[in-house]
């Protein structure tokens, strides 16, 4: 069973950094996510790596995933974020910065609630206990936004990717763009910041602008 962290532990020690780089297929989540993780000196996780074989097969065949398909996947990503929090507390005496940058489509608000640690599943009442790891996470969201035409060019230029271009419009139709009020949890705490960037911007500029908004420098302390 996963050990629990007290909120006071995080107050007394270095807090880990959590960032979700989100957007539909072709928005540049991996490119931006890796650049951002390198700038912060923390780990990058491509959320697609945690998809089940059945999910990957479904998408390869041109069938979009539904909420049921995505739930275990989202919970797996959340678990990786929990592990990053535990690692941060275990190494609080060092000068190294800890945390994780995750590339994940995070298309719906209820998906992002799980990733932020506000809920354990789609039930809005499934809130973590006050002393749980999830309840300590402040998750920043970097939303990469682009038009269908811009994204289609990118998706069609890729080779060997499991996501066919035929699913792009479905993703855009499913997408619920993140809003500032999503960052507020059930206890009215603001947990993280939201930054929206155009995919037309230079990747390095996207990263530097994000770092300014969330007040992180690019040299791990």
């Amino acid at each position: 069973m996963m050990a629990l962290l007290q909120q006071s532990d995080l107050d007394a020690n270095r807090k880990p950094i959590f960032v979700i780089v989100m957007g539909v297929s072709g928005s540049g989540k991996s490119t931006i996510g890796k650049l951002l993780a390198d700038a912060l000196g923390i780990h990058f996780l491509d959320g697609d790596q945690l998809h089940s074989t059945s999910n990957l097969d479904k998408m390869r065949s041109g069938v979009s995933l539904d909420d049921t398909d995505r739930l275990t996947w989202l919970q797996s990503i959340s678990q990786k974020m929990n592990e990053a929090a535990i690692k941060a507390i275990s190494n609080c005496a060092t000068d190294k910065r800890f945390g994780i940058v995750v590339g994940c489509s995070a298309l719906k608000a209820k998906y992002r609630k799980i990733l932020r640690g506000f809920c354990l599943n789609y039930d809005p009442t499934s809130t973590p206990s006050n002393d749980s790891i999830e309840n300590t996470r402040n998750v920043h969201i970097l939303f990469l936004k682009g038009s269908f035409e811009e994204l289609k060019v990118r998706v069609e230029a890729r080779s060997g990717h499991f996501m066919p271009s035929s699913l792009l419009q479905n993703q855009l139709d499913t997408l619920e763009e993140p809003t500032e009020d999503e960052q507020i949890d059930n206890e009215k705490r603001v947990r993280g910041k939201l930054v929206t960037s155009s995919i037309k911007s230079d990747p390095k500029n996207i990263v530097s602008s994000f770092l300014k908004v969330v007040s992180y420098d690019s040299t791990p302390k």
Side-chain angles (χ1 to χ4, degrees), residues 22-170:
M22 64 160 287
V24 301
S25 184
S27 58
K29 297 184 293 294
S30 295
T31 298
I32 302 300
K34 290 174 182 176
L35 284 174
L36 181 57
D38 286 345
L40 290 168
I42 60 177
H43 178 62
F44 171 71
L45 171 67
D46 183 345
D48 287 342
Q49 296 176 351
L50 298 182
H51 270 302
S52 66
T53 301
S54 59
N55 278 4
L56 293 174
D57 289 344
K58 191 171 183 178
M59 287 184 282
R60 286 192 184 101
S61 66
V63 179
S64 59
L65 302 182
D66 57 25
D67 288 351
T68 301
D69 296 322
R70 290 188 174 108
L71 179 56
T72 302
W73 171 59
L74 294 165
Q75 291 171 331
S76 296
I77 295 174
S78 182
Q79 176 65 24
K80 291 294 184 182
M81 297 169 78
N82 285 344
E83 292 170 6
I86 292 173
K87 189 173 184 180
I89 298 304
S90 299
N91 293 274
C92 63
T94 71
D95 290 332
K96 185 176 180 181
R97 178 181 279 165
F98 289 91
I100 191 168
V101 176
V102 180
C104 175
S105 55
L107 298 176
K108 295 184 179 181
K110 64 181 179 181
Y111 299 171
R112 296 188 289 272
K113 280 184 177 291
I114 294 173
L115 297 174
R116 288 190 178 96
F118 292 3
C119 295
L120 300 176
N121 54 53
Y122 298 142
D123 181 350
T125 66
S126 65
T127 54
S129 61
N130 289 336
D131 61 352
S132 69
I133 301 170
E134 289 89 352
N135 199 46
T136 64
R137 292 207 301 252
N138 289 330
V139 181
H140 303 300
I141 302 289
L142 174 53
F143 172 40
L144 303 176
K145 184 174 181 177
S147 69
F148 173 79
E149 291 74 21
E150 293 163 344
L151 294 159
K152 187 171 184 289
V153 170
R154 291 185 175 199
V155 172
E156 291 182 342
R158 297 188 303 193
S159 60
H161 197 275
F162 66 86
M163 175 72 75
S165 59
S166 59
L167 291 181
L168 177 58
Q169 187 59 60
N170 178 270

